[in-house]
Amino acid sequence: AGLIQQSLLPTQECFIDHAETAWKFMPCQKVGGDLFNFYQLDQDHWAIYIFDVSGHGVPSAMVAVSVSQMLRPEVGLTLRRSADPKSCEIVSPSQVLDRLDREYPMERFDKYFTLVYFIFNTKTGSLRYSNAAHPPPIVLRSNGSFDTLQQGGTIVGLGGLLPFEEGVITLAPGDKLVLYTDGITEYENLSGKMFGQDGLLSEFQRMRARPITEMVDSVLARIVEFGGGSDPQDDLTLLGLEYKGC
């Protein structure tokens, strides 16, 4: 199950036009439900997502695999094809989350998941997104300021009970987008202290001027150092994107 989970992650050789990406995935000893990916929708747009299924073990991993398959572009959830095979419509983030919410009600699998889904315009730097109660991604501006991306709704699994909203933010050249799962912020050291969102943001700010690959490597190394050798209680997942501009 763990090998299947890791086989669904993007390859390090996957390149996005006008951007650089980096990621780290450190699974805990139990099979978990973290997954993320990015793939091209059309010439100028990419889908980026990260999600975390509740619980651990094979049941969570199976739901994670199912969700990742649903998000494949050829399935029709993220790209709506017309009668013309060369033409397709990009489905909005809120519609993607709404469809998943109806397909994966909690009573079906006894699981729910958090997820944030982006449509990234590589020409303009625009990020259109919806966040289903996932730890808020962070945009690190090149001037030192930052934004947290929380627009969206509640967990996926309520069966269409509540609507999902959308947010839009634009990256300037040099800005970075960072996504992560709660295994990062809830990682406990040997004294039982959590790394926390403030600790994570502090590390991001400290490394904001460095290339995205170096920043992701350094931040995860700092988190592991904080743990002092304790085994992660959950998967540690960190995904970063640096916009270069056209």
Side-chain angles (χ1 to χ4, degrees):
L3 290 173
I4 291 172
Q5 180 185 18
Q6 295 192 51
S7 74
L8 297 172
L9 300 176
T11 64
Q12 296 286 11
E13 292 75 28
C14 186
F15 296 102
I16 298 180
D17 291 339
H18 313 301
E20 183 179 352
T21 60
W23 57 267
K24 288 291 184 181
F25 174 68
M26 182 180 294
C28 65
Q29 292 182 346
K30 300 178 182 178
V31 175
D34 285 13
L35 274 177
F36 61 92
N37 213 333
F38 40 85
Y39 55 83
Q40 196 162 11
L41 295 167
D42 64 16
Q43 183 175 352
D44 299 328
H45 297 88
W46 282 69
I48 304 170
Y49 68 80
I50 187 169
F51 66 85
D52 184 4
V53 179
S54 61
H56 296 285
V58 173
S60 295
M62 290 178 67
V63 173
V65 169
S66 176
V67 173
S68 73
Q69 295 301 303
M70 281 286 291
L71 288 168
R72 291 172 63 89
E74 62 268 25
V75 172
L77 176 62
T78 59
L79 279 176
R80 188 177 294 121
R81 303 190 182 278
S82 63
D84 180 358
K86 296 183 179 180
S87 175
C88 59
E89 174 192 356
I90 296 176
V91 180
S92 70
S94 60
Q95 290 177 313
V96 170
L97 266 60
D98 181 70
R99 174 74 181 279
L100 289 172
D101 194 38
R102 296 174 188 277
E103 291 287 339
Y104 293 89
M106 280 191 284
E107 57 268 23
R108 184 180 179 189
F109 298 109
D110 194 30
K111 298 290 179 186
Y112 66 87
F113 55 94
T114 66
L115 177 145
V116 59
Y117 178 83
F118 289 89
I119 296 174
F120 175 45
N121 186 320
T122 59
K123 279 192 173 180
T124 67
S126 172
L127 285 166
R128 186 179 178 189
Y129 75 95
S130 190
N131 185 343
H134 195 80
I138 297 171
V139 171
L140 298 164
R141 301 294 187 181
S142 57
N143 64 7
S145 64
F146 68 92
D147 300 289
T148 57
L149 308 185
Q150 305 185 57
Q151 198 74 21
T154 186
I155 59 173
V156 175
L158 297 183
L161 183 63
L162 297 172
F164 293 98
E165 299 178 348
E166 289 185 1
V168 179
I169 194 167
T170 300
L171 301 181
D175 291 347
K176 298 179 177 70
L177 170 70
V178 186
L179 299 84
Y180 56 97
T181 55
D182 60 10
I184 295 280
T185 53
E186 295 177 2
Y187 185 27
E188 295 182 359
N189 63 14
L190 297 174
S191 301
K193 180 181 178 182
M194 289 186 181
F195 191 76
Q197 189 170 14
D198 289 343
L200 182 62
L201 182 57
S202 176
E203 287 300 309
F204 287 153
Q205 290 281 43
R206 184 178 66 86
M207 296 294 297
R208 71 177 187 275
R210 306 305 301 166
I212 190 66
T213 301
E214 186 177 334
M215 188 183 80
V216 168
D217 287 347
S218 177
V219 170
L220 188 63
R222 174 68 187 94
I223 292 168
V224 172
E225 179 185 358
F226 167 85
S230 64
D231 292 328
Q233 300 83 25
D234 200 351
D235 296 340
L236 304 180
T237 306
L238 195 58
L239 171 64
L241 178 146
E242 181 175 356
Y243 184 53
K244 301 295 187 178
C246 292

